[in-house]
Amino acid sequence: MLRVSVRIRDCVHYRGFRYGGFNNNIYEDYVVGLAKGAQRRNLREKLVNRVLAYTGNDFSSALNIVLEQKYPPWIYPWTFRAVYSVATAPPSAHENPDIICHHSPQGVLASHINREFGWLEGAFAAMQVGYKPEQCGYVRLMRMKGCEGSRYLVLDGNHRIAAMHALGVNELLADVETPLLGSIHASRLWPGVLCGAHRHRDAIAIFNRYFEETNRELSELPTQRLIVNEPLEI
């Protein structure tokens, strides 16, 4: 793993949201709104609607792409983890580790949405003081090499990256993991393809999704159930 300077506009979220001001990024739209003085209630309502509109625990629904078969999300074909991947049951609402990346058929806890508000607003407040990775840890990225450049999948630090963009930062120092076969030119040798876990065409489609120039429009029509285990802080 190398520590290098990376442009924020080359960073992407697991679900394909590009950072750097391309809109339709759940995290960035929220903190950019904070920076512009938007009504917090409106920002929170929009985030709630976007969270409740997300359903499905497979790459097709996560990335909004058509694939020939279903794959568990975040098991990337170009990593060796793909060889050992096994299907897992969807998380329960109480166990769901990340409501932006994972869908629970039971619904979404209000407490988890409140926690997301806190993380976003906390990151925005912290980055106003400055990015201090020596104290709080470096953003972690995975480099993906395409035909005409690289994109960096954010493994840890989405909230901070969103906040830095909102505050006018263009580059950041990050710890970058470069998979041995993390290039489009090595797609026939990707572990997930070689072991048969991923069809080659689907693996290419997943990889290329992270290289789209603009972000796809996000649905704001809620389809999931909100579980009110505590008052929603709107």
Side-chain angles (χ1 to χ4, degrees):
M1 186 175 291
L2 298 176
R3 187 162 292 163
V4 297
S5 182
V6 174
R7 296 189 305 177
I8 285 178
R9 71 191 316 270
D10 292 329
C11 296
V12 288
H13 182 271
Y14 280 104
R15 285 183 55 196
F17 318 139
R18 189 178 181 186
Y19 287 95
F22 297 91
N23 299 318
N24 290 308
N25 178 315
I26 288 178
Y27 293 123
E28 207 169 78
D29 291 352
Y30 191 97
V31 289
V32 166
L34 290 176
K36 291 182 176 179
Q39 292 253 342
R40 192 160 306 201
R41 180 184 180 89
N42 293 339
L43 296 174
R44 291 188 171 193
E45 286 180 345
K46 187 172 187 175
L47 187 142
V48 171
N49 288 338
R50 285 176 163 181
V51 168
L52 294 179
Y54 176 53
T55 59
N57 280 308
D58 61 90
F59 263 124
S60 181
S61 58
L63 298 178
N64 190 21
I65 55 177
V66 177
L67 300 172
E68 294 179 9
Q69 64 186 54
K70 286 195 172 185
Y71 306 92
W74 327 134
I75 307 294
Y76 291 103
W78 52 91
T79 67
F80 284 96
R81 185 183 174 202
V83 177
Y84 306 103
S85 66
V86 293
T88 57
S92 74
H94 289 273
E95 296 170 343
N96 193 344
D98 185 344
I99 57 174
I100 307 299
C101 290
H102 298 277
H103 160 70
S104 171
Q106 299 169 345
V108 183
L109 296 175
S111 59
H112 284 186
I113 294 178
N114 290 337
R115 181 182 65 183
E116 194 64 52
F117 295 152
W119 283 343
L120 285 163
E121 293 169 18
F124 182 64
M127 292 305 102
Q128 287 178 300
V129 177
Y131 175 50
K132 299 181 179 181
E134 300 85 358
Q135 298 176 16
C136 304
Y138 284 83
V139 165
R140 291 192 304 111
L141 310 172
M142 178 196 293
R143 185 184 181 192
M144 304 162 61
K145 293 181 283 186
C147 294
E148 299 181 359
S150 296
R151 289 286 166 83
Y152 296 85
L153 183 68
V154 183
L155 304 178
D156 181 58
N158 284 286
H159 300 86
R160 284 176 286 168
I161 290 175
M164 281 187 271
H165 163 71
L167 293 165
V169 177
N170 295 317
E171 294 188 6
L172 75 155
L173 196 62
D175 285 339
V176 178
E177 169 187 328
T178 302
L180 179 64
L181 298 170
S183 166
I184 191 67
H185 301 295
S187 62
R188 291 285 181 185
L189 299 176
W190 287 345
V193 174
L194 287 179
C195 76
H198 297 81
R199 294 186 179 182
H200 184 245
R201 281 179 295 187
D202 286 348
I204 292 291
I206 292 169
F207 188 92
N208 285 340
R209 175 67 177 82
Y210 293 100
F211 284 80
E212 293 185 5
E213 285 298 309
T214 58
N215 291 336
R216 300 189 180 195
E217 187 173 353
L218 291 165
S219 174
E220 294 177 17
L221 298 175
T223 58
Q224 290 199 75
R225 171 178 169 244
L226 175 64
I227 302 173
V228 187
N229 65 323
E230 69 180 36
L232 190 60
E233 297 172 1
I234 295 294

